Amino acid sequence: MMTRRLLQLFTGLTMYGISLAMFIRAGLGLDPWDVFHQGVANRTGLSIGVVVVIVSFLVLLLWIPLRQWPGFGTLCNAVLVGVFADIGLALIPPVSLLAGQIGLLAGAIVLNGIASACYIGARFGPGARDGLMTGLARRTGWSVRLSRTLIEVTVLAVGWLLGGSVGVGTVVYALAIGPLVHVLLPRFMVPAAAPEAASKPAPANC
């Protein structure tokens, strides 16, 4: 079971980074956090992958007042998504035709959904941004939906002001990713280990 969990975790994070590169190459708009990442990258001259890694660890600092602790998967997520985003950008060429852009956007959304289901289903802990959302909800009493909306609207607005790409892909992602992960997650969720019996059953009477 551990081998499957590790394989699923690393596969999911690899695909997540590649999906980010596909979103960027499609040029039709990014999800809210990546609008922010791209805006920071545009302003600093850093690659978007490096920005993703830096922001991930900065977000983890916000976990401290929320009294939340990262898991193994959280730390892997913080590093590997950015690494594979830069690898994906090096391998995937820009696309100029609209049909190609639409196809790349659709593929990015599907791949992102599969990737999310893989790394969440591996049960090694949430990503830094997801943990911030759930931690904020737990500490404030707000709903997870409200916490997520406030966070993502904020980073989307800041990212747009910094020059990040907002477009039809941003809207399509927002509408599609929730239902997609909802359908896929049960197929990738690793079952929790069954608790060991407290004692052996007594032998049956003859």
Side-chain angles (χ1 to χ4, degrees):
M1 189 66 69
M2 181 58 71
T3 300
R4 174 192 165 177
R5 291 176 66 201
L6 289 170
L7 181 61
Q8 189 169 305
L9 172 69
F10 292 128
T11 300
L13 296 179
T14 300
M15 291 192 297
Y16 202 101
I18 297 298
S19 73
L20 170 53
M22 293 170 66
F23 275 115
I24 293 171
R25 291 305 190 213
L28 296 175
L30 306 174
D31 68 274
W33 272 105
D34 290 326
V35 171
F36 176 72
H37 296 146
Q38 188 182 53
V40 173
N42 290 343
R43 295 288 179 152
T44 61
L46 298 172
S47 73
I48 193 166
V50 171
V51 172
V52 168
V53 173
I54 293 172
V55 170
S56 295
F57 281 101
L58 292 177
V59 169
L60 285 177
L61 292 178
L62 298 178
W63 284 31
I64 296 173
L66 299 176
R67 298 180 183 176
Q68 188 152 302
W69 300 99
F72 174 71
T74 308
L75 299 176
C76 290
N77 184 308
V79 175
L80 294 181
V81 170
V83 169
F84 282 102
D86 278 349
I87 291 174
L89 286 171
L91 296 176
I92 302 170
V95 178
S96 57
L97 294 177
L98 181 59
Q101 290 176 296
I102 293 173
L104 201 55
L105 174 64
I109 292 172
V110 172
L111 187 63
N112 190 276
I114 296 171
S116 298
C118 278
Y119 86 76
I120 294 171
R123 296 178 181 270
F124 278 114
R129 296 152 188 79
D130 291 332
L132 177 64
M133 170 189 67
T134 56
L136 184 63
R138 178 172 51 80
R139 293 289 291 173
T140 62
W142 298 342
S143 69
V144 172
R145 178 177 296 181
L146 176 59
S147 299
R148 177 171 183 167
T149 299
L150 289 175
I151 292 170
E152 294 197 347
V153 166
T154 300
V155 296
L156 177 63
V158 174
W160 177 70
L161 290 173
L162 292 174
S165 176
V166 178
V168 65
T170 309
V171 177
V172 174
Y173 178 88
L175 294 175
I177 194 62
L180 189 59
V181 174
H182 178 76
V183 170
L184 292 172
L185 187 56
R187 292 167 170 76
F188 290 96
M189 182 64 71
V190 177
E196 294 183 4
S199 60
K200 294 182 180 179
N205 294 326
C206 297

